Amino acid sequence: MHSRRAPPAALGGPPVRGPQDAPALAARPAALTRLTLEETLPPPTHGRGLAPPYTPTAGAERWDLRLARTLLEHTGLPDLDADSSASTGYGVGADFWRVQVIWMQNGSLTLPRAGTAARRRWDEALDGIQDALGSTQFTALRRNRYCVSAAAVVPEEPQCTARLRRVGPLDAPRNEVSFDGYGTAAAFGTVVLASHGPSPTSTLIVTDAEGAEVGRGYDSYQIAVESLAHHYGLPMPLALVDEGRGK
């Protein structure tokens, strides 16, 4: 069994684009139903036969973004992703392996003039966001004129266990991935080496249970499987068990 704390580069898998500018925020989709972090994380007995309270969903929001949202709920500030008609509030996105929270007022990311009431509200909003993320669950906070970003603290113990099992012909490397505590209908995928044997042009391609491509170009099975876990919203770090070829 291979278990390690995922390095920062692994935490994000493929970069997830956050709300980088006002047009991107303005074009956000309709509000989605969101679960709290407690509702989505597996219980401590994960992998021991008990059904977790969360059913993984393809394309789910990453675990550290959900954690940030849970903390930000206590600020009382508007969540732009929860109200598609709002023009003032925060947007949560990913900056590679970091979480970034962008503040926008009246549909603008432009910093109001110093000494105005609008500037005071702007600064108070960023103060609230910074205080919410400045908990023991986030570290390395950074702040600029319109954004606060931080990195989620990753537990030492694995929060998710994946199993890699080789299937198919020997000359066409293909692996099925399942996650302990979750049925294959909930979270499942494949990792395929896109050449016959390792070579400079070999690349790992990850697909989910529906056959949709999650990503490609990974340089290790650990990182490839972590990207699949992120795709389903499962928590990090991930322990990977290579079961080899089935009988």
Side-chain angles (χ1 to χ4, degrees), residues 69-197:
R69 289 189 188 281
T70 299
L71 298 175
L72 290 166
E73 287 175 0
H74 302 294
T75 65
L77 297 171
D79 180 352
L80 293 175
D81 294 316
D83 183 358
S84 60
S85 64
S87 61
T88 295
Y90 63 82
V92 179
D95 181 13
F96 294 95
W97 54 272
R98 295 174 63 84
V99 173
Q100 64 177 5
V101 183
I102 292 178
W103 178 253
M104 183 169 68
Q105 266 180 208
N106 300 320
S108 174
L109 295 175
T110 302
L111 184 68
R113 190 172 65 253
T116 62
R119 176 62 175 271
R120 184 178 65 256
R121 291 192 297 269
W122 185 284
D123 290 339
E124 288 174 350
L126 285 180
D127 287 343
I129 293 170
Q130 184 171 339
D131 289 344
L133 295 186
S135 68
T136 57
Q137 299 181 76
F138 279 87
T139 186
L141 265 71
R142 299 174 188 166
R143 174 174 170 173
N144 60 26
R145 60 186 176 85
Y146 65 90
C147 173
V148 177
S149 68
V153 176
V154 181
E156 293 291 342
E157 293 298 319
Q159 302 296 296
C160 181
T161 298
R163 296 184 182 275
L164 198 66
R165 182 173 179 270
R166 297 169 198 162
V167 296
L170 292 174
D171 61 349
R174 178 185 178 89
N175 296 266
E176 292 181 345
V177 183
S178 60
F179 298 91
D180 285 4
Y182 302 102
T184 56
F188 182 78
T190 59
V191 179
V192 177
L193 186 65
S195 68
H196 297 301

Side-chain angles (χ1 to χ4, degrees), residues 170-171 173 193-204 221:
L170 292 174
D171 61 349
L193 186 65
S195 68
H196 297 301
S199 75
T201 59
S202 296
T203 183
L204 294 173
Y221 282 93

